[in-house]
Amino acid sequence: MQFLRDRGYAHEIGSEVTPRDVYRSRRECLRRIAAATAGTALAACAARDALGQAARPGKLAALAAARSAVPGALTMERATAYTDVTTYNNFYEFGTDKSDPAQHAGSLKVRPWRVSVEGEVRRARTFDIEDLLKLAPMEERIYRMRCVEGWSMVIPWIGYSLSELIKRVEPTGNAKFVEFVTLADRTQMPGIRSSVLDWPYVEGLRLDEAMHPLTLLCMGLYGEVLPNQNGAPVRLVVPWKYGFKSGKSLVKIRLTETQPQTTWGKANSDEYGFYSNVNPQIDHPRWSQATERRIGEDGVFQKKRPTLLFNGYQTQVSQLYAGMDLRKFF
Ligand code: MTE
């Protein structure tokens, strides 16, 4: 039972054996919804409950969010359990094992924190994290996340469209791409001592991809501020691309005229293309991308899931790539 509950299956077990904390969470949700006159966090709470999730874990500060109205932003697939989302991570600055970030990211100091937005913009500016938290209304987005390694999760993120931030700095006519630079501080990040990657971790998008409403500037998950291991205090989430395109712990966002050089592209451009849109037909040179393993389903549904083009966000994003040869721009 505990195994099932940890993996978010409480909803399926049946009301007579619904764990007490889940039951309490539902009652609390209903009570708050009934009392609500305007619903931000309440809607998020209801969305999670609809997915059969337990109460928010309550370890970090709560982050209120309304249910997103952006088309495609709320998958009804069962969310991956909080425990898995926060203990099975890729954050090489804290080590390369999946359990390293949860073990070592406690050393990350997330206040004070600033993000500079610069380059081909009319109003370059450095934003304090407190300003970013208030810049636009927070939304809950329940996205599939597909890692290039062949596993996936469903995560209830909190944030707002990155376009909200980019609009405020007023891109110039020369801006074609956006570069995302993340923190590289060897005093706080033990993994930086390793030369596994060329630090800082840098990623990039085309400007129209960055302005797409699904591209999320993310500050929380599961109703709370982001845990350090998931990229606190602010990260990107681009749900139709492999997970490595979504940089964690952002410190600089730079609009550029030319395509930025990315960390994984520098490490191996044949394996990690600039676009890296999820595509079951384009295999990684060392493994197939046709299927994926949903974390938390191991041993319950042993069959792998088919991977979907653009990670299932085809309706929303395919027009960004109209006329492009996806094999060439992989
Ligand atoms: N960002 C930084 N700065 N460092 C990293 O190692 N790993 C990427 C991405 N962002 C990474 C990063 C990869 S490979 C994935 S799959 C996702 O973060 C994982 O995000 P999660 O651990 O929150 O699930």
Side-chain angles (χ1 to χ4, degrees), residues 264 268 270-272 283-289:
W264 280 105
N268 193 335
D270 294 337
E271 299 194 350
Y272 306 102
D283 288 337
H284 186 280
R286 288 181 282 136
W287 57 84
S288 161
Q289 293 291 26

Side-chain angles (χ1 to χ4, degrees), residues 15-125:
S15 57
E16 67 286 6
V17 286
T18 300
R20 212 183 169 122
D21 55 348
V22 175
Y23 170 70
R24 282 213 185 111
S25 141
R26 288 193 187 141
R27 284 210 23 197
E28 176 62 6
C29 276
L30 291 171
R31 190 187 65 72
R32 288 161 71 189
I33 287 162
T37 48
T40 52
L42 307 169
C45 178
R48 273 196 306 285
D49 197 52
L51 289 162
Q53 288 302 309
R56 68 176 180 76
K59 288 180 248 150
L60 297 166
L63 189 58
R67 206 169 184 176
S68 180
V70 169
L74 288 171
T75 174
M76 288 311 287
E77 285 177 61
R78 185 181 298 118
T80 304
Y82 180 85
T83 331
D84 287 332
V85 172
T86 55
T87 58
Y88 188 93
N89 298 103
N90 277 333
F91 201 168
Y92 278 16
E93 288 86 335
F94 294 100
T96 53
D97 283 351
K98 295 286 180 279
S99 58
D100 281 337
Q103 277 180 39
H104 304 301
S107 55
L108 180 65
K109 248 182 84 199
V110 296
R111 292 293 187 284
W113 193 278
R114 284 177 202 86
V115 181
S116 119
V117 189
E118 56 187 60
E120 288 293 344
V121 296
R122 283 189 198 91
R123 295 174 178 272
R125 200 179 135 188

Side-chain angles (χ1 to χ4, degrees), residues 164-177:
E164 294 285 347
L165 176 64
I166 294 186
K167 275 190 307 207
R168 282 166 174 81
V169 295
E170 297 178 19
T172 69
N174 294 333
K176 303 278 181 304
F177 294 90

Side-chain angles (χ1 to χ4, degrees), residues 84-85 88-95 101 145-149 151 153 155 157 182-183 189 197 199 201-202 221 226 229-231 235-236 242-249 264:
D84 287 332
V85 172
Y88 188 93
N89 298 103
N90 277 333
F91 201 168
Y92 278 16
E93 288 86 335
F94 294 100
M145 184 178 74
R146 170 65 155 80
C147 177
V148 72
E149 297 163 346
W151 52 267
M153 297 193 192
I155 305 177
W157 301 109
T182 77
L183 184 73
M189 300 172 132
L197 286 177
W199 313 108
Y201 191 102
V202 175
L221 60 80
L226 272 181
Q229 60 269 34
N230 291 91
R235 67 173 292 171
L236 201 67
Y242 291 116
F244 72 86
K245 295 295 296 179
S246 298
K248 293 174 159 183
S249 305
W264 280 105

